[in-house]
């Protein structure tokens, strides 16, 4: 299936959850990553500074359509595996944060992150909200302009959420 409504992720040995869509927005994914990092201490004993995300998404990048969170400490201390096990409540908390914030385009309370490698440029709060509604409620977002619609599906399957 395309978006796993039940969030039954495929676990890899490196503690990653797996999802995929050719219709993810770069700015939406990056915004979700920021929200997940900020909210991670709700589900895992950690500081947000212990986690990182993929800031840059370029054409041809195999991680371009993935939510990618990682532990900053070389070799990790097990946060990734714990985050995977608490993924659904963490995504829910991110959705509540984004839906509850009154700003239009994003702010430090919802998606802006101090130390962002791209200086919080290109974040897309609305795309993030749509992706979260898709993952949590099964509301598939419309394809962005210029991307294939459901009848032109390029690939089904899953991708990593690390």
């Amino acid at each position: 299936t395309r978006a796993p409504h039940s969030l039954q992720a495929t676990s890899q040995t490196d503690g990653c959850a797996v999802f995929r869509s050719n219709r993810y927005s770069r700015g939406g994914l990056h915004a979700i990553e920021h929200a997940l990092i900020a909210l991670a201490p709700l589900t895992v004993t950690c500081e947000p500074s212990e986690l990182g995300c993929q800031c840059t998404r370029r054409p041809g990048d195999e991680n371009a359509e993935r939510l990618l969170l990682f532990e900053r400490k070389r070799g990790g201390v097990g946060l990734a595996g714990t985050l995977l096990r608490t993924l659904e409540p963490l995504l829910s908390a991110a959705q509540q944060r984004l839906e509850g914030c009154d700003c239009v385009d994003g702010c430090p309370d919802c998606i802006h992150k101090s130390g962002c490698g791209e200086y919080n440029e290109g974040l897309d709060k609305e795309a993030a909200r749509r992706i979260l509604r898709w993952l949590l409620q099964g509301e598939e977002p419309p394809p962005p302009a210029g991307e294939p619609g459901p009848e032109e599906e390029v690939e089904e399957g899953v991708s990593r959420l690390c």
Side-chain angles (χ1 to χ4, degrees):
T1 60
R2 297 246 331 126
H5 177 51
S6 65
L7 292 179
Q8 294 174 355
T10 303
S11 180
Q12 305 288 324
T13 56
D14 56 4
C16 296
V18 182
F19 305 104
R20 184 171 190 91
S21 165
N22 290 324
R23 293 189 265 160
Y24 281 142
S25 158
R26 178 216 157 282
L29 289 172
H30 195 165
I32 293 171
E33 289 169 341
H34 282 190
L36 294 177
I37 288 171
L39 296 167
L42 295 175
T43 62
V44 175
T45 304
C46 73
E47 292 291 325
S49 61
E50 294 179 79
L51 301 169
C53 65
Q54 177 174 341
C55 296
T56 0
R57 290 180 165 84
R58 293 186 173 84
D61 180 355
E62 70 179 35
N63 294 319
E65 297 173 354
R66 301 173 182 192
L67 286 172
L68 180 64
L69 299 181
F70 57 86
E71 296 181 51
R72 291 190 176 276
K73 181 174 176 70
R74 189 183 249 343
V77 294
L79 297 176
T82 306
L83 282 172
L84 176 61
R85 289 187 295 280
T86 62
L87 182 60
E88 189 167 2
L90 186 57
L91 288 169
S92 254
Q95 182 180 36
Q96 290 172 8
R97 171 75 55 97
L98 270 64
E99 298 287 349
C101 187
D102 293 332
C103 76
V104 176
D105 296 322
C107 69
D109 285 338
C110 62
I111 61 172
H112 287 189
K113 179 180 174 291
S114 173
C116 172
E118 291 194 353
Y119 308 100
N120 296 305
E121 290 293 320
L123 295 176
D124 188 334
K125 182 179 177 181
E126 183 54 32
R129 291 171 56 180
R130 288 180 180 192
I131 293 166
L132 287 167
R133 283 194 298 266
W134 182 20
L135 291 173
L136 293 165
Q137 284 84 40
E139 297 175 24
E140 189 167 345
E147 291 198 20
E151 66 284 350
E152 307 171 72
E153 200 58 54
V154 176
E155 176 180 334
E156 293 206 17
V158 292
S159 212
R160 300 165 65 112
L161 171 56
C162 299

